[in-house]
Amino acid sequence: MSNPPPLDAETEKIQLPGQTPEPARHKKPSRRLRYVLIGLLVVGLLGAGSAVAGGVYLRSVEKGIERVDAFDGVPEQERPQKEATEARNILLLGSDSRDPENTGGSRSDTLILAHLPADRSSAQLISIPRDTWVAVPKSRDGKHGGREAKINAAYAWGGVPLVVQTVEKYTGVRIDNVAIIDFAGFEQIVDAVGGVDIDVQQEFTSIHEPYRRFELGVQHMDGATALDYARQRKQFADGDFARIRHQQQVIKAVLNEAVSGGTLANPGELTDLIEATADAVSVDKTLSIFDTATEMSGLRGGDLSFMTNPTLGTGMVGNESVVFPDEDLSKQLYGAVKRDSVADILSAAGE
């Protein structure tokens, strides 16, 4: 089962039936959170052997990791019921505080819903584009939300708890934990594993200094280069969807490099990796990095499945360029997540 190819929200616009066209304006919102996700670096990377090789040290590092009130004020009566009690669903958020496109405080964004099946033999990571048009619940102060908007508006209006509410309302999946990573710390994580090999599918030049040229084929990238690669979107016909693909490539490459490159067997390199990740991450008050690492210690890159929230393409709502979700396919996908049916998750995602 496949989705129609997405259009670039910045270069192509479609109008829904019955929608009154409005001229596009280029006014930036005064406050926007932009998530850029490194996903499994938070839970899987540390888990791929570090629970055995560095368990004692990891416990000590965990004590210093910043904790956030991710579920504070989230109405329990409005949350989905947990169906597969042994499975875990982790909402992975991130911010790119040093994004070169940051002018006026806005940040590049994406989010990932990571599903860990009950047997912990795999992980499914679903990227939800920042411009996905969803119903955002009313904020705790009652001043915002209570209407449809881009999913990334939730953070600006109500912080992490409103993001949790919004994702749960849209997917029907109960979020067990939340992890937040500063993408600026990603550079050190890549360097800690000795760099990564990335298969570049389309030749392009970075729009950021020093304007790196990415040639076709496999390239070995250090942290700065991989971070630059994962930020690019404007050179591609499908914009932010291309950036999501690049992020997914890098996540998988880091995990593979950590396992195959000997990082996890080298105490010094393992320490560098743990410290780099710990410096960049914050988690909710109940998530145990050590326990999660132990549960996922057998995962490798081949055990990860990356997918993107089903879409109908992009279009305009008023003067906003948005991504329209495919409601039918989304229901199938997230219904399978709730049931912890990995085969159905992969089928609904077209894998």
Side-chain angles (χ1 to χ4, degrees):
M1 189 178 300
S2 60
N3 303 324
L7 301 176
D8 178 11
E10 296 187 2
T11 59
E12 305 244 11
K13 297 175 174 59
I14 60 175
Q15 205 73 33
L16 291 181
Q19 183 180 310
T20 302
E22 292 188 26
R25 296 195 294 266
H26 299 287
K27 181 180 179 182
K28 284 188 177 181
S30 59
R31 295 181 63 200
R32 286 190 303 170
L33 170 78
R34 296 186 168 186
Y35 312 112
V36 180
L37 260 302
I38 321 273
L40 211 61
L41 289 176
V42 177
V43 290
L45 180 57
L46 287 178
S50 62
V52 176
V56 174
Y57 181 65
L58 181 55
R59 281 195 184 277
S60 67
V61 171
E62 181 169 17
K63 295 178 181 178
I65 292 178
E66 183 181 353
R67 298 281 172 170
V68 297
D69 288 320
F71 302 96
D72 184 37
V74 178
E76 180 61 35
Q77 67 274 16
E78 297 179 13
R79 303 191 67 195
Q81 293 297 310
K82 182 84 171 179
E83 293 188 11
T85 56
E86 298 303 315
R88 289 177 64 191
N89 298 299
I90 303 177
L91 184 60
L92 303 163
L93 309 177
S95 63
D96 197 355
S97 60
R98 295 200 305 239
D99 188 342
E101 294 179 43
N102 255 353
T103 56
S106 59
R107 299 180 178 184
S108 303
D109 62 327
T110 254
L111 58 81
I112 292 176
L113 177 60
H115 177 71
L116 311 181
D119 62 9
R120 303 297 192 265
S121 64
S122 63
Q124 294 74 49
L125 292 91
I126 307 168
S127 296
I128 305 178
R130 64 185 180 184
D131 292 338
T132 302
W133 193 250
V134 299
V136 178
K138 190 170 286 293
S139 61
R140 192 176 182 183
D141 62 10
K143 296 179 179 179
H144 304 286
R147 64 178 181 86
E148 292 190 324
K150 294 181 182 182
I151 198 166
N152 68 342
Y155 189 95
W157 291 344
V160 176
L162 190 58
V163 178
V164 170
Q165 281 185 268
T166 301
V167 172
E168 288 190 337
K169 182 179 180 65
Y170 169 60
T171 64
V173 174
R174 187 179 180 95
I175 303 301
D176 298 300
N177 295 108
V178 177
I180 307 164
I181 191 165
D182 181 355
F183 201 31
F186 175 56
E187 184 175 330
Q188 286 69 42
I189 293 172
V190 174
D191 287 336
V193 299
V196 292
D197 291 328
I198 300 294
D199 188 2
V200 179
Q201 300 293 316
Q202 178 179 329
E203 205 170 79
F204 67 95
T205 299
S206 170
I207 63 172
H208 306 131
E209 293 183 356
Y211 309 111
R212 295 175 178 86
R213 181 68 180 170
F214 293 93
E215 306 288 347
L216 285 175
V218 177
Q219 296 185 36
H220 187 75
M221 301 183 187
D222 62 12
T225 304
L227 178 58
D228 193 18
Y229 177 78
R231 279 173 168 157
Q232 305 305 307
R233 62 186 173 89
K234 292 185 176 179
Q235 306 92 315
F236 303 94
D238 55 354
D240 206 45
F241 293 91
R243 180 166 58 181
I244 288 173
R245 289 195 301 273
H246 293 170
Q247 292 169 359
Q248 292 173 343
Q249 276 186 291
V250 175
I251 293 168
K252 194 168 185 176
V254 170
L255 181 56
N256 280 334
E257 188 63 37
V259 174
S260 63
T263 299
L264 302 177
N266 183 306
E269 293 180 4
L270 177 61
T271 297
D272 291 342
L273 175 59
I274 292 174
E275 289 182 345
T277 305
D279 286 345
V281 69
S282 56
V283 299
D284 71 82
K285 291 188 173 182
T286 64
L287 190 149
S288 168
I289 296 291
F290 181 84
D291 290 345
T292 303
T294 303
E295 292 174 8
M296 300 179 65
S297 60
L299 284 188
R300 301 296 182 266
D303 301 319
L304 312 183
S305 297
F306 295 91
M307 53 205 73
T308 301
N309 188 68
T311 75
L312 296 173
T314 64
M316 297 297 295
V317 175
N319 65 343
E320 295 187 90
S321 181
V322 307
V323 175
F324 296 111
D326 185 319
E327 299 292 350
D328 291 338
L329 286 181
S330 294
K331 288 179 181 178
Q332 293 180 39
L333 174 61
Y334 296 115
V337 171
K338 289 177 66 175
R339 299 190 307 273
D340 191 27
S341 174
V342 173
D344 289 341
I345 293 172
L346 299 179
S347 176
E351 296 293 312

